[in-house]
Amino acid sequence: MIERYVAEVERRLRLHGRRRRRVLDELEAHLRESAAQAGEAEAVRRMGTPADVAHAFTPRLTDRLFEQRDRAAALLMLAAMAASVPLALDLHGLNDRAGRSVAAYALFLAPTVAVALASNLMVLIGRPLGARLVPPLVVLVAATAAVTLFSLPPVDGVFAGYREAVSAGHESQGCGGRALAACAADHSDEIRINFTAGAIVLTALYVWAVSGWTPAMRRRRRELA
Amino acid sequence: MGRADVTGHLDLLLLAVLDEAPAHGYRVIETLRDRSGGAFDLPEGTVYPALHRLERSGLLSSSWDDSTPRRRRVYAVTRQGRRRLDGRRQEWTGFARAVQAVIAT
């Protein structure tokens, strides 16, 4: 009876590979344990119908997506960092033309990028280190955002170089008929503000997805304590 | 309490049982049934999907135990699972207190 039951579950089960094998082995082990106490008929009755059991192991797409939200957030952050590389190269090129170095800015950004990369990769391969790196990542992103938004060193040098290069006509795309200096100032402000806002929003999403933390949760826990 | 109400709290119940000691699925189901005086007598097939889901969420870990004649999959609560359990316990205690305050005569 147990073999027939497990075969029926196997026929209906929408899982593959190791997970499928594991589910079937566990169910059979459970049924045999239960049968040793109460007999095969009772063991099978208590388990539920094969259709119900097989269906219970097939989660809805939305549930699967929600369960994988940490990996999705990690992929999104990696994609955003990759998408930022052309801008970084552009800034480097323009600063080079203006006779300025971006090495100090690159060194400043390096810890944030390194921690973000490490956290994303660990989350993608399912290691707890990914979540443990979230607090230092938040601190680094906050520091980087503050320095960038308020145009503090070494960020100020990078955007000064950008403005000089644009004002000298090395990069005038999007300036139309405007004075290059004003255009350069606007563009540099847009880059600073938009990318910082994007980094903050993306980091907040990553924090929620990986740790499940929200300010409301913290307030609720304090109220219940 | 109806079966639908219990399955809504199944995660909390499973984490609480496994927090005491690692156990295989059959033992978990027995413990739930015994400690609730038979109130939580769920179809046993509903428990394994929940255990698997909790493991995929990082709240449980599991491994095969080959030390007994019958091979079993043993589950244990992770540190993340313990944190989640503490949070859910607090939420449940607060909720139960509030309900009791409202329905008490």
Side-chain angles (χ1 to χ4, degrees):
Chain A
M1 188 177 275
I2 288 177
E3 290 84 5
R4 276 203 308 276
Y5 183 92
V6 172
E8 189 59 25
V9 171
E10 185 174 13
R11 196 175 69 80
R12 293 165 184 273
L13 197 59
R14 296 284 180 266
L15 295 174
H16 306 283
R18 270 194 301 182
R19 201 167 157 219
R20 179 185 182 85
R21 193 66 260 149
R22 177 186 150 181
V23 165
L24 294 168
D25 287 348
E26 269 194 275
L27 288 178
E28 184 172 357
H30 178 103
L31 284 165
R32 299 215 178 275
E33 187 101 32
S34 182
Q37 309 286 328
E40 288 197 4
E42 181 63 8
V44 160
R45 187 197 69 77
R46 282 182 187 169
M47 185 59 81
T49 67
D52 286 345
V53 171
H55 180 72
F57 278 104
T58 311
R60 292 175 303 176
L61 179 62
T62 48
D63 291 339
R64 286 208 301 271
L65 287 173
F66 189 74
E67 278 177 16
Q68 298 297 326
R69 64 193 181 279
D70 54 348
R71 288 195 170 96
L75 280 173
L76 186 61
M77 194 173 260
L78 283 170
M81 285 194 286
S84 303
V85 168
L87 174 69
L89 292 174
D90 209 25
L91 282 174
H92 168 70
L94 289 170
N95 272 268
D96 210 29
R97 289 191 196 187
R100 287 175 178 263
S101 168
V102 297
Y105 186 50
L107 273 173
F108 171 72
L109 276 185
T112 309
V113 172
V115 170
L117 275 175
S119 177
N120 293 162
L121 291 172
M122 289 297 112
V123 163
L124 283 174
I125 62 175
R127 294 278 193 268
L129 179 60
R132 285 205 285 270
L133 286 173
V134 165
L137 178 62
V138 168
V139 169
L140 287 167
V141 168
T144 307
V147 166
T148 307
L149 271 176
F150 295 112
S151 217
L152 301 171
V155 167
D156 60 343
V158 170
F159 286 99
Y162 174 84
R163 287 192 294 274
E164 283 171 21
V166 173
S167 299
H170 294 302
E171 171 66 60
S172 57
Q173 209 173 6
C175 287
R178 297 170 61 202
L180 288 179
C183 181
D186 282 348
H187 282 189
S188 106
D189 286 346
E190 276 172 24
I191 293 170
R192 275 192 310 108
I193 293 167
N194 291 348
F195 270 76
T196 305
I200 291 171
V201 167
L202 193 55
T203 304
L205 174 70
Y206 188 67
V207 169
W208 167 78
V210 172
S211 67
W213 185 90
T214 62
M217 181 192 295
R218 191 168 173 223
R219 269 199 309 276
R220 202 160 60 234
R221 286 197 172 153
R222 279 188 172 164
E223 284 158 14
L224 288 171
Chain B
M1 187 180 254
R3 185 160 283 170
D5 300 308
V6 175
T7 51
H9 300 289
L10 187 55
D11 289 2
L12 171 61
L13 296 171
L14 293 175
L15 288 173
V17 166
L18 287 166
D19 190 39
E20 292 181 0
H24 54 88
Y26 184 79
R27 185 80 198 107
V28 169
I29 293 165
E30 266 194 332
T31 305
L32 270 176
R33 192 185 302 128
D34 293 345
R35 285 177 57 179
S36 68
F40 299 156
D41 191 15
L42 302 165
E44 295 174 0
T46 61
V47 174
Y48 284 96
L51 289 171
H52 285 209
R53 181 170 40 75
L54 289 169
E55 187 178 4
R56 283 200 305 280
S57 301
L59 305 180
L60 294 179
S61 62
S62 73
S63 57
W64 285 109
D65 177 13
D66 295 313
S67 63
T68 54
R70 206 172 281 126
R71 201 173 178 233
R72 296 157 166 171
R73 189 90 184 178
V74 175
Y75 293 84
V77 179
T78 62
R79 210 179 330 174
Q80 187 183 348
R82 204 154 279 122
R83 279 201 299 269
R84 178 71 60 86
L85 174 60
D86 290 342
R88 293 293 303 273
R89 267 189 180 126
Q90 281 187 325
E91 286 173 12
W92 174 257
T93 305
F95 175 73
R97 199 184 303 138
V99 169
Q100 184 59 36
V102 169
I103 66 173
T105 53

mmCIF file of all heavy atoms in Angstrom, chain B residues 2-3 12-14 21 30 33-35 39 43 46 48 71 73 76 85 90 93-95:
data_model
loop_
_atom_site.group_PDB
_atom_site.id
_atom_site.type_symbol
_atom_site.label_atom_id
_atom_site.label_comp_id
_atom_site.label_asym_id
_atom_site.label_seq_id
_atom_site.Cartn_x
_atom_site.Cartn_y
_atom_site.Cartn_z
ATOM 1 N N GLY B 2 -10.370 26.221 13.923
ATOM 2 C CA GLY B 2 -10.492 25.404 12.712
ATOM 3 C C GLY B 2 -9.131 25.081 12.115
ATOM 4 O O GLY B 2 -8.117 25.692 12.453
ATOM 5 N N ARG B 3 -9.119 24.114 11.168
ATOM 6 C CA ARG B 3 -7.871 23.692 10.550
ATOM 7 C C ARG B 3 -7.212 24.839 9.807
ATOM 8 O O ARG B 3 -5.989 24.973 9.827
ATOM 9 C CB ARG B 3 -8.147 22.531 9.604
ATOM 10 C CG ARG B 3 -6.905 21.928 8.985
ATOM 11 C CD ARG B 3 -7.155 20.537 8.480
ATOM 12 N NE ARG B 3 -7.178 19.566 9.554
ATOM 13 C CZ ARG B 3 -7.568 18.298 9.405
ATOM 14 N NH1 ARG B 3 -8.029 17.881 8.275
ATOM 15 N NH2 ARG B 3 -7.544 17.454 10.410
ATOM 16 N N LEU B 12 5.065 29.017 12.928
ATOM 17 C CA LEU B 12 5.381 29.285 14.330
ATOM 18 C C LEU B 12 5.424 27.988 15.122
ATOM 19 O O LEU B 12 6.345 27.760 15.911
ATOM 20 C CB LEU B 12 4.335 30.237 14.918
ATOM 21 C CG LEU B 12 4.373 30.475 16.434
ATOM 22 C CD1 LEU B 12 5.695 31.094 16.864
ATOM 23 C CD2 LEU B 12 3.223 31.385 16.862
ATOM 24 N N LEU B 13 4.450 27.118 14.887
ATOM 25 C CA LEU B 13 4.386 25.850 15.639
ATOM 26 C C LEU B 13 5.585 24.962 15.319
ATOM 27 O O LEU B 13 6.207 24.382 16.213
ATOM 28 C CB LEU B 13 3.082 25.109 15.296
ATOM 29 C CG LEU B 13 1.791 25.813 15.696
ATOM 30 C CD1 LEU B 13 0.580 25.093 15.120
ATOM 31 C CD2 LEU B 13 1.677 25.892 17.214
ATOM 32 N N LEU B 14 5.937 24.878 14.040
ATOM 33 C CA LEU B 14 7.060 24.021 13.650
ATOM 34 C C LEU B 14 8.375 24.547 14.212
ATOM 35 O O LEU B 14 9.205 23.795 14.721
ATOM 36 C CB LEU B 14 7.148 23.928 12.121
ATOM 37 C CG LEU B 14 5.996 23.201 11.428
ATOM 38 C CD1 LEU B 14 6.147 23.276 9.910
ATOM 39 C CD2 LEU B 14 5.916 21.752 11.881
ATOM 40 N N ALA B 21 14.522 20.825 20.191
ATOM 41 C CA ALA B 21 15.528 19.841 19.788
ATOM 42 C C ALA B 21 15.323 19.511 18.319
ATOM 43 O O ALA B 21 14.185 19.485 17.841
ATOM 44 C CB ALA B 21 15.391 18.562 20.625
ATOM 45 N N GLU B 30 4.131 14.178 15.712
ATOM 46 C CA GLU B 30 3.707 13.554 16.978
ATOM 47 C C GLU B 30 3.724 14.557 18.113
ATOM 48 O O GLU B 30 2.802 14.618 18.934
ATOM 49 C CB GLU B 30 4.681 12.422 17.332
ATOM 50 C CG GLU B 30 4.266 11.055 16.866
ATOM 51 C CD GLU B 30 5.102 9.977 17.546
ATOM 52 O OE1 GLU B 30 6.264 10.236 17.925
ATOM 53 O OE2 GLU B 30 4.564 8.867 17.691
ATOM 54 N N ARG B 33 0.894 16.994 17.960
ATOM 55 C CA ARG B 33 -0.364 16.353 18.329
ATOM 56 C C ARG B 33 -0.434 16.152 19.850
ATOM 57 O O ARG B 33 -1.423 16.482 20.494
ATOM 58 C CB ARG B 33 -0.496 15.009 17.621
ATOM 59 C CG ARG B 33 -1.892 14.380 17.699
ATOM 60 C CD ARG B 33 -1.927 12.998 17.087
ATOM 61 N NE ARG B 33 -1.516 13.002 15.702
ATOM 62 C CZ ARG B 33 -0.580 12.201 15.175
ATOM 63 N NH1 ARG B 33 0.037 11.320 15.926
ATOM 64 N NH2 ARG B 33 -0.264 12.269 13.900
ATOM 65 N N ASP B 34 0.662 15.643 20.425
ATOM 66 C CA ASP B 34 0.662 15.316 21.859
ATOM 67 C C ASP B 34 0.558 16.570 22.708
ATOM 68 O O ASP B 34 -0.229 16.654 23.648
ATOM 69 C CB ASP B 34 1.939 14.549 22.233
ATOM 70 C CG ASP B 34 1.983 13.168 21.585
ATOM 71 O OD1 ASP B 34 0.920 12.715 21.101
ATOM 72 O OD2 ASP B 34 3.075 12.568 21.537
ATOM 73 N N ARG B 35 1.373 17.576 22.374
ATOM 74 C CA ARG B 35 1.413 18.766 23.236
ATOM 75 C C ARG B 35 0.154 19.608 23.119
ATOM 76 O O ARG B 35 -0.153 20.394 24.000
ATOM 77 C CB ARG B 35 2.655 19.592 22.905
ATOM 78 C CG ARG B 35 3.905 18.937 23.478
ATOM 79 C CD ARG B 35 5.167 19.637 23.131
ATOM 80 N NE ARG B 35 5.141 21.038 23.561
ATOM 81 C CZ ARG B 35 6.146 21.874 23.382
ATOM 82 N NH1 ARG B 35 7.236 21.464 22.766
ATOM 83 N NH2 ARG B 35 6.066 23.114 23.783
ATOM 84 N N ALA B 39 -5.459 18.704 19.526
ATOM 85 C CA ALA B 39 -6.084 19.831 18.805
ATOM 86 C C ALA B 39 -5.403 20.058 17.453
ATOM 87 O O ALA B 39 -6.053 20.402 16.468
ATOM 88 C CB ALA B 39 -6.021 21.095 19.662
ATOM 89 N N PRO B 43 -3.328 16.956 8.573
ATOM 90 C CA PRO B 43 -2.909 15.940 7.600
ATOM 91 C C PRO B 43 -1.396 15.984 7.508
ATOM 92 O O PRO B 43 -0.805 17.061 7.295
ATOM 93 C CB PRO B 43 -3.547 16.407 6.279
ATOM 94 C CG PRO B 43 -4.617 17.349 6.664
ATOM 95 C CD PRO B 43 -4.204 17.968 7.968
ATOM 96 N N THR B 46 0.757 17.912 4.951
ATOM 97 C CA THR B 46 0.874 19.382 4.909
ATOM 98 C C THR B 46 2.110 19.866 5.641
ATOM 99 O O THR B 46 2.541 20.999 5.454
ATOM 100 C CB THR B 46 -0.351 20.059 5.557
ATOM 101 O OG1 THR B 46 -0.437 19.661 6.924
ATOM 102 C CG2 THR B 46 -1.616 19.693 4.822
ATOM 103 N N TYR B 48 5.311 18.479 5.679
ATOM 104 C CA TYR B 48 6.585 18.429 4.949
ATOM 105 C C TYR B 48 6.782 19.600 3.990
ATOM 106 O O TYR B 48 7.875 20.174 3.940
ATOM 107 C CB TYR B 48 6.744 17.083 4.231
ATOM 108 C CG TYR B 48 7.110 15.985 5.194
ATOM 109 C CD1 TYR B 48 6.126 15.162 5.725
ATOM 110 C CD2 TYR B 48 8.427 15.808 5.606
ATOM 111 C CE1 TYR B 48 6.452 14.178 6.644
ATOM 112 C CE2 TYR B 48 8.755 14.821 6.516
ATOM 113 C CZ TYR B 48 7.764 14.015 7.035
ATOM 114 O OH TYR B 48 8.080 13.044 7.950
ATOM 115 N N ARG B 71 16.239 5.332 7.529
ATOM 116 C CA ARG B 71 16.841 6.626 7.175
ATOM 117 C C ARG B 71 15.824 7.748 7.371
ATOM 118 O O ARG B 71 14.686 7.638 6.890
ATOM 119 C CB ARG B 71 17.276 6.582 5.716
ATOM 120 C CG ARG B 71 18.326 7.594 5.345
ATOM 121 C CD ARG B 71 18.789 7.315 3.920
ATOM 122 N NE ARG B 71 19.767 8.301 3.483
ATOM 123 C CZ ARG B 71 19.689 9.017 2.381
ATOM 124 N NH1 ARG B 71 18.658 8.862 1.577
ATOM 125 N NH2 ARG B 71 20.624 9.877 2.061
ATOM 126 N N ARG B 73 15.139 12.225 7.675
ATOM 127 C CA ARG B 73 15.624 13.590 7.448
ATOM 128 C C ARG B 73 15.373 14.368 8.729
ATOM 129 O O ARG B 73 14.233 14.502 9.157
ATOM 130 C CB ARG B 73 14.879 14.230 6.283
ATOM 131 C CG ARG B 73 15.469 15.553 5.846
ATOM 132 C CD ARG B 73 16.512 15.363 4.793
ATOM 133 N NE ARG B 73 17.151 16.608 4.417
ATOM 134 C CZ ARG B 73 18.139 16.702 3.533
ATOM 135 N NH1 ARG B 73 18.598 15.628 2.938
ATOM 136 N NH2 ARG B 73 18.675 17.867 3.253
ATOM 137 N N ALA B 76 16.540 21.119 11.982
ATOM 138 C CA ALA B 76 16.951 21.909 13.149
ATOM 139 C C ALA B 76 16.748 23.390 12.824
ATOM 140 O O ALA B 76 16.797 23.781 11.648
ATOM 141 C CB ALA B 76 18.418 21.648 13.474
ATOM 142 N N LEU B 85 11.548 33.088 15.166
ATOM 143 C CA LEU B 85 10.665 32.485 16.166
ATOM 144 C C LEU B 85 10.431 33.456 17.315
ATOM 145 O O LEU B 85 9.290 33.630 17.767
ATOM 146 C CB LEU B 85 11.270 31.183 16.689
ATOM 147 C CG LEU B 85 10.547 30.493 17.849
ATOM 148 C CD1 LEU B 85 9.123 30.126 17.453
ATOM 149 C CD2 LEU B 85 11.308 29.244 18.280
ATOM 150 N N GLN B 90 6.603 36.886 20.126
ATOM 151 C CA GLN B 90 6.203 38.185 20.687
ATOM 152 C C GLN B 90 4.900 38.661 20.054
ATOM 153 O O GLN B 90 4.006 39.151 20.739
ATOM 154 C CB GLN B 90 7.292 39.227 20.417
ATOM 155 C CG GLN B 90 8.473 39.125 21.355
ATOM 156 C CD GLN B 90 9.435 40.284 21.143
ATOM 157 O OE1 GLN B 90 9.623 40.770 20.025
ATOM 158 N NE2 GLN B 90 10.029 40.740 22.201
ATOM 159 N N THR B 93 2.010 36.544 21.361
ATOM 160 C CA THR B 93 1.691 36.860 22.762
ATOM 161 C C THR B 93 0.910 38.166 22.834
ATOM 162 O O THR B 93 -0.090 38.277 23.556
ATOM 163 C CB THR B 93 2.985 36.977 23.590
ATOM 164 O OG1 THR B 93 3.733 35.780 23.441
ATOM 165 C CG2 THR B 93 2.680 37.202 25.060
ATOM 166 N N GLY B 94 1.355 39.151 22.085
ATOM 167 C CA GLY B 94 0.653 40.430 22.066
ATOM 168 C C GLY B 94 -0.759 40.288 21.518
ATOM 169 O O GLY B 94 -1.716 40.848 22.055
ATOM 170 N N PHE B 95 -0.876 39.510 20.445
ATOM 171 C CA PHE B 95 -2.183 39.301 19.826
ATOM 172 C C PHE B 95 -3.127 38.580 20.775
ATOM 173 O O PHE B 95 -4.288 38.990 20.961
ATOM 174 C CB PHE B 95 -1.989 38.487 18.537
ATOM 175 C CG PHE B 95 -3.259 38.100 17.859
ATOM 176 C CD1 PHE B 95 -4.017 39.048 17.175
ATOM 177 C CD2 PHE B 95 -3.719 36.795 17.904
ATOM 178 C CE1 PHE B 95 -5.199 38.691 16.554
ATOM 179 C CE2 PHE B 95 -4.905 36.437 17.277
ATOM 180 C CZ PHE B 95 -5.648 37.381 16.603
#
